Amino acid sequence: MNKELRSAVIAGNWKMNCGPAAAKALIEDLKPLCVNAECDVIVCVPFVDLHVALEATKGSNIKVGAQNCHWAESGAFTAEISAGMLKELGVEYVILGHSERRQYFGETDVTVNQRLRAALNAGLKPILCVGEVLEQREQGVTEEIVRMQTKIALQGVSEEEMKNIIIAYEPVWAIGTGKTATAEQADEVCGQIRKVLAELYSEAVAQATTIQYGGSMKPSNAKELLGKEHVDGGLIGGAALKAADFFGIIDAAK
């Protein structure tokens, strides 16, 4: 991390876990732990928890995010949520392009771009996820895949709008598997993403953009990962569901 150039951000992706009661309890456990956090802290909760999370985090330094949004402002899209609805509710962040959305729900690089555009138009701050599957890693095309995903997702995004975007590198083979990219692998790919941003925009934009690592980050490996130059935080899955574990990663961001 280089906090002089960009914000360090630890975001929890709760996925499909915790109903409203459990969400409130977890946030109440987190609040006193995060009072002196030296990084930005975000909890990205299921849609049904958003109202409870927004109420529970009032007056704290914990921000609230959603886990997806649709590209349309409104319409016949049963079970979907628009970016404008999230903004009206008070949500600040939204995860877009997560590998589980790509794998199970047909997300493509193009639809991720459409959702990103909608989120920015509504005034939300996207956490854009990119990353390769195991086969692509073994084929040696990680850089090509990540470059492509990043470039397509950011089509039509201005240099000014990049100030509101966080990018999360999540090697798909390390999500929920217990496997973790080495600190060197994580730093290398985050650095490649930063290089793409410099090509698309400028070196200043590249250096100012927060790039997280997501993929089985936990208290035991967070310090090593966060100690790398290009790793500016984490998008945390399983470890975000236990206050002590999530705080252990936040504390490592010192």
Side-chain angles (χ1 to χ4, degrees):
M1 293 186 298
N2 189 331
K3 293 183 181 179
E4 294 180 1
L5 295 176
R6 48 195 175 261
S7 299
V9 181
I10 304 296
N13 175 17
W14 291 11
K15 307 190 181 185
M16 195 175 71
N17 293 291
C18 297
K24 186 177 188 300
L26 179 52
I27 290 171
E28 292 299 335
D29 287 342
L30 280 173
K31 284 196 294 187
L33 298 176
C34 296
V35 169
N36 297 314
E38 295 183 19
C39 62
D40 294 340
V41 179
I42 308 168
V43 290
C44 297
V45 305
F47 289 132
V48 296
D49 295 342
L50 286 172
H51 183 71
V52 166
L54 288 163
E55 285 295 318
T57 56
K58 280 183 177 178
S60 77
N61 56 345
I62 301 174
K63 306 297 184 182
V64 176
Q67 296 175 14
N68 195 28
C69 71
H70 199 268
W71 58 78
E73 293 183 10
S74 62
F77 301 102
T78 301
E80 288 287 345
I81 305 291
S82 74
M85 291 174 181
L86 295 175
K87 182 66 176 179
E88 184 177 348
L89 197 60
V91 172
E92 188 170 347
Y93 293 87
V94 61
I95 298 172
L96 297 173
H98 193 278
S99 64
E100 290 158 2
R101 297 297 310 176
R102 296 176 191 255
Q103 180 179 357
Y104 301 124
F105 302 103
E107 287 281 346
T108 67
D109 295 330
V110 172
T111 61
V112 171
N113 171 251
Q114 293 171 336
R115 294 176 196 271
L116 184 80
R117 187 66 266 162
L120 290 170
N121 289 346
L124 296 175
K125 297 177 181 178
I127 300 175
L128 167 65
C129 299
V130 298
E132 82 284 13
V133 299
L134 180 59
E135 183 180 17
Q136 292 164 338
R137 161 66 64 170
E138 292 176 341
Q139 290 169 340
V141 295
T142 293
E143 181 175 2
E144 290 91 332
I145 294 297
V146 171
R147 285 179 61 88
M148 179 181 68
Q149 291 176 341
T150 303
K151 292 175 76 170
I152 295 175
L154 295 178
Q155 283 188 348
V157 175
S158 71
E159 184 167 325
E160 182 67 23
E161 288 173 323
M162 281 301 300
K163 295 177 181 178
N164 292 316
I165 295 176
I166 296 169
I167 298 178
Y169 165 55
E170 43 159 28
V172 181
W173 48 272
I175 298 173
T177 63
K179 297 179 181 179
T180 310
T182 65
E184 290 71 25
Q185 288 172 326
D187 189 51
E188 179 184 14
V189 181
C190 289
Q192 290 167 351
I193 294 169
R194 208 174 298 286
K195 183 179 177 182
V196 174
L197 297 180
E199 294 170 4
L200 292 175
Y201 301 100
S202 66
E203 186 62 30
V205 168
Q207 292 300 325
T209 301
T210 295
I211 302 177
Q212 300 173 312
Y213 169 76
S216 299
M217 185 185 285
K218 44 191 177 286
S220 61
N221 61 23
K223 186 174 181 179
E224 182 183 12
L225 286 161
L226 295 172
K228 293 299 181 180
E229 177 185 359
H230 296 294
V231 180
D232 305 317
L235 182 58
I236 315 302
L241 299 174
K242 296 181 180 179
D245 288 350
F246 192 48
F247 175 68
I249 298 171
I250 293 166
D251 194 49
K254 289 180 179 178

